Amino acid sequence: EFTMMYYEELYPEKYTFKYPKAGEANSKVSAHLVNTANGKIKAINLGEYEYIPRLQWSGTKNQLVIQILNRHQNALKYHLIDLTEKKISQKVFFEETSKTYVEIDDNLLILKDGNTILRTSEADGFNRIYKLSFDGTNTKITNGGDVIEFYGIDEANGKIYYAEAGNRAIYKGIYRIGLDGNGKETISSEDGYNSAEFTEGMKYFVKTWSDANTPPVYTLCSNDGKTVRVLEDNAALNKKLSAYSLGKKE
């Protein structure tokens, strides 16, 4: 067993998990369906694999998407488990491979149409957002710099919100773009380091902006990037720092 410390809450917590030493076999991972009415368990045959990194139920259909990964972590498959009929059906509808490894993300989001997934991938050398359909069609949505963070989607208006190293690799800006990959908009400064915490429904977000010479500024913004209210500008800290005549970082 291996123990890690988590420092997310007020007090640190220990997290212990099984971790095989070199030469030992990994723990066996399998997927099953459980009938909540009678307690019967049915195994899902996913073929040969080592890991099940992510799975996600559809919010509109009785369908389940399961990712499986090989031991070398360079071949990722997407399985669609369909329980809409009496007989359970499944298929592999997409596979991504790499000479090195495939990065697993936490952005497995099934859209309300029940047939499309939003995911991020480094398949072309940069982290992009893709729209993946259950028929295997994989469409690239973003084409700029590396996508650093995926914030969510406003499906009613067809807008995706994310952070990207757009202007320079050391900067982080906040953007939105249409589900079809058109209409990209910058909704923050492209300089410095921006981050966002969106409200439910993606109507507003709290933006945090800073750079090498400026303490964080916290602003409440509408989803088009317009300022609603400055929550904290750290003016007092800025004034205090200016008294030290610190050198400016370029």
Side-chain angles (χ1 to χ4, degrees):
E1 294 184 340
F2 186 79
T3 300
M4 295 175 60
M5 296 297 295
Y6 280 167
Y7 298 92
E8 297 176 351
E9 304 297 334
L10 178 61
Y11 294 100
E13 294 182 354
K14 289 183 179 180
Y15 177 63
T16 302
F17 57 95
K18 292 186 181 298
Y19 189 87
K21 292 186 177 180
E24 293 187 348
N26 269 343
S27 299
K28 299 297 182 182
V29 183
S30 58
H32 300 78
L33 294 170
V34 181
N35 188 319
T36 56
N38 55 31
K40 290 184 178 179
I41 300 174
K42 182 179 179 62
I44 302 174
N45 183 8
L46 299 172
E48 294 186 8
Y49 64 94
E50 194 77 22
Y51 309 104
I52 301 178
R54 302 289 185 272
L55 55 85
Q56 181 68 48
W57 283 99
S58 169
T60 58
K61 297 180 180 179
N62 202 14
Q63 294 177 325
L64 173 67
V65 174
I66 300 179
Q67 295 178 345
I68 63 169
L69 193 64
N70 64 340
R71 181 65 185 265
H72 292 296
Q73 301 185 36
N74 62 356
L76 175 68
K77 292 182 180 180
Y78 284 74
H79 284 257
L80 177 64
I81 316 299
D82 193 335
L83 296 91
T84 54
E85 305 293 337
K86 288 185 177 180
K87 185 177 180 181
I88 299 172
S89 64
Q90 64 168 297
K91 66 175 182 178
V92 176
F93 66 94
F94 184 73
E95 182 174 0
E96 181 176 319
T97 59
S98 171
K99 293 180 180 179
T100 52
Y101 67 94
V102 177
E103 186 74 30
I104 302 298
D105 65 273
D106 291 314
N107 305 317
L108 182 59
L109 175 65
I110 302 176
L111 303 186
K112 291 180 181 178
D113 65 7
N115 297 307
T116 312
I117 290 174
L118 286 185
R119 61 186 290 266
T120 55
S121 171
E122 297 179 350
D124 71 349
F126 293 89
N127 200 31
R128 315 286 197 193
I129 298 175
Y130 290 83
K131 183 168 60 175
L132 173 62
S133 299
F134 288 164
D135 64 2
T137 303
N138 192 38
T139 306
K140 188 187 300 183
I141 294 177
T142 60
N143 283 290
D146 262 319
V147 171
I148 301 171
E149 197 167 357
F150 176 83
Y151 293 123
I153 179 174
D154 176 7
E155 284 199 67
N157 296 300
K159 297 291 185 181
I160 298 169
Y161 294 84
Y162 63 101
E164 177 184 282
N167 194 13
R168 292 174 62 187
I170 61 173
Y171 294 152
K172 177 185 176 184
I174 305 168
Y175 302 85
R176 69 177 181 181
I177 194 170
L179 265 171
D180 58 0
N182 295 317
K184 180 180 178 180
E185 301 174 79
T186 306
I187 57 173
S188 74
S189 167
E190 291 191 287
D191 294 339
Y193 193 86
N194 296 271
S195 61
E197 290 285 344
F198 277 84
T199 60
E200 186 174 349
M202 312 300 290
K203 300 298 182 184
Y204 299 93
F205 66 95
V206 174
K207 179 181 69 176
T208 305
W209 174 83
S210 65
D211 64 16
N213 303 302
T214 311
V217 176
Y218 301 91
T219 312
L220 176 64
C221 302
S222 55
N223 61 9
D224 59 0
K226 293 180 180 178
T227 297
V228 176
R229 180 180 297 175
V230 177
L231 304 175
E232 175 59 71
D233 62 5
N234 271 317
L237 178 57
N238 259 324
K239 184 177 180 181
K240 189 171 184 178
L241 289 174
S242 65
Y244 293 102
S245 299
L246 299 173
K248 295 291 184 182
K249 182 175 176 60
E250 297 182 0

